[in-house]
Structures are given as C-alpha cells and as structure tokens.
Amino acid sequence: MGTFTHDQDLEAVVPALRQVCARRPGQIEIQIIGGLVESAAQELLADLPFRLIRAEPGEEEYPLFMLWFTARVQWDLAIAPLQNNAFNRCKSDLKFLDYSAIACPAIFSDAPAYRGAVEHMRNGLLVQNQTEQWMSAIETLLEDANLHQRISRRVYQELHAARTLASASRHWQEALEFALQPPAPPPNPPVSIVIPTKNAEAYLTAQLEAIFNQATAFDFDVTLIDSGSKDRTPEIAAAYPVSLINIPPQEFNHGSTRNLGARQARPESEFIVFLSQDACPENPGMAGAPDPADARRPGNCRGFQPPRAAPGRQRFLRAPAHPPDPIRRRRTAVQEAARRPGGVPGAKVLSELFLQHQFSNPPQRLGATAF
C-alpha cells in the first residue's frame, strides 16, 4: 500500500512472494493499494495472483482514505518493504499506523522509518531486504496463529492508547500552554569597560577596587589600554582580572585608543563603558552601566565627574540622555560630557552603534567631533 513511488521497494520482496505462492498454490492473494500503476504491476507481478485495489473517487485524501481503508480492507498480514536510499530514510512510520488501524500484523524492512516503532516479534516483524528473511517472516505469520493473534491485538490497542489525536491531546495541550507562556525576561546584557591609562598609579587601585566591588546583575569585563606608563600602573593592573593592552606612547589618541578598546570587547557585550583613569565610581550599581529596567532604552548615557575635592558628592554619576534618534542620542550624551569644563567624561554606549560610528581620529574634542 502506498503512493505510486514503490516500484523498487516492491521488487525487493517479489522473489519471496513467488516462493510463498509456489508453496501454497491457490491459497494466496496479493492485494495492492496504490504503490504501482497498473502497467508496472502487470510487468512486475505477472506470474503472481495479485489484485489492484483503488479507493473510491473523492476518497484519495488521507483522512477520507483511512475511513475507506478501515471499513473495506481485511488482510491476514501486510508488508512494508523499503529500499535503503536517501528518500526512504526520510520516511515516517505511517504504514505501521495504517496497518495497526485494521489490527493487521505486518512485516517491515529493517529501516529507520520503522525501527523506533516496531519491536521485532512483539508488535511486528523486522527483516533485512533478503529473499530468505522475507520468505521466513511471511511463513511465520501464516503458520503461527498465536503470534498472529497477539500482534493483531497489541498493535490495535497500542495505536488507540498512544498514537491517535485523542490520546495525544494532553501533549497538544501542554505544548500550546507552553507556547502561550509569556517569554522569560532576557538575561541582563554583559558590559565591557574600557579605560585608557598612562602613569595612573595614583588612581588605578582605588578605581579598580571600586569597579570590582560593584553590585551588578550582569557580567562585565575590563580592558586597560596603557600608553607607556613609567610607574606601577602595569603592576597594579596585573593584580586584577583585567585585559591589559600596551601601545607606544606616540600611538595614543583619545579617539583611536578608545576605538581599539571597543574592538577588544567580547562580541556578546551590548554596552561599552568608557572611563578615564581617574574616574572612580562610588555608587554601588555600576555607574553609567545599564540596569534591568532600562538597559535597552537609551542609546547612551553620560557620566558626570565633579572635581575630586568636592565634598559630599559622588564622583561619578549616571545621567541618561534620550533624544529621539539613536545616533543623536549617543552623540549628544558624549558631547554634553565633553563640554563640561574641567572634567573628563565617562559614557555608556550601545556597542553595536559605537562600532558602526566610532570616534574620529584624532578628535578635536572627545564627543564634539567624534561622531
């Protein structure tokens, strides 16, 4: 049984059918539903007692076909030969279900389509595409009435217990309920921090201590780009989990050096935080970095760094800026920070935007001509 694509599959079992029919003259009728056009069947099965059966007109579509099939067909046994080829390796166990629907014991090629469903001698027989194995399996089902009855009863019961839409409705319900659940909130995006340094011994220990003591709900990494420090800056950096990039002093530039640090950020970092070497965060929640509530809204944030001598004020605060255009958002924030007299800005920038629109080289002012 099948569509008109099974000529080669049926050829594998024809020699066995000839021998079985020869042993039982007048006792065997081979019925074929689909599988072969009439001319091909006449050529392949000319010396065998076969009959082609067709569904009623209008009942070819599978749901209607199965109503016709279960009402009209009564077989003693069924076969499902499959040749080993790429097309057949993509098939399902549908024939096993079809034959189970009429409580018919069946013999199947030992192929990927059937190995997961058919347990040999329990709910069917699996054979290699060899004449002797096909002939032995057919004779076994014809001669062993107890085995025939056990398989017939078992496949019908198990089909209705586990393989129908009604029996699987609970799984459909679970799948739909799972699909309709609100999505889990995405993990907080990681952050990369970039700090250009040169002779930063006076500030670096306090700055790195403050950074690594931050209470954050996200992961972050720190990259230092040192341009020829002559003090203990490299030694201090080595005591912390930071990446240290050394460049010659003559290669330092406020724009290109920060661009280099941004390119070293790990690919999954959604934000880049730029700090100067003396900008020390004092508030506990990573100044200038995203929090879960607004991490995906601003294109950037600027940091305000009052003079260190100012009593009672935090030395580094977060202040988001939200013009409508994302590029303008970032440009405006860095410009505002750069225009503050007497200070060095810090800024949080969406890494995707920054890598598309990096600092110019050299910038006349950090931010004012950077974008």
Side-chain angles (χ1 to χ4, degrees), residues 264-343:
Q264 299 301 313
R266 52 186 176 179
E268 63 269 25
S269 288
E270 187 170 358
F271 291 89
I272 301 172
V273 176
F274 294 102
L275 295 180
S276 59
Q277 65 184 25
D278 62 342
C280 183
E282 286 190 345
N283 51 324
M286 186 58 72
D291 58 47
D294 69 355
R296 297 181 183 275
R297 287 189 295 155
N300 67 83
C301 294
R302 65 177 171 83
F304 181 74
Q305 183 185 343
R308 288 179 172 270
R313 299 183 64 185
Q314 292 179 335
R315 294 195 290 271
F316 190 84
L317 303 173
R318 188 177 69 149
H322 298 272
D325 174 71
I327 302 300
R328 287 184 56 216
R329 279 205 301 265
R330 193 180 59 181
R331 180 174 61 242
T332 302
V334 181
Q335 285 177 345
E336 288 179 1
R339 288 171 182 155
R340 177 179 44 77

Side-chain angles (χ1 to χ4, degrees), residues 121-141:
M121 301 297 286
R122 178 185 176 279
N123 59 355
L125 279 70
L126 290 171
V127 299
Q128 300 295 321
N129 285 333
Q130 299 172 3
T131 298
E132 295 77 12
Q133 290 201 22
W134 276 107
M135 185 175 64
S136 175
I138 294 171
E139 290 287 355
T140 295
L141 283 182

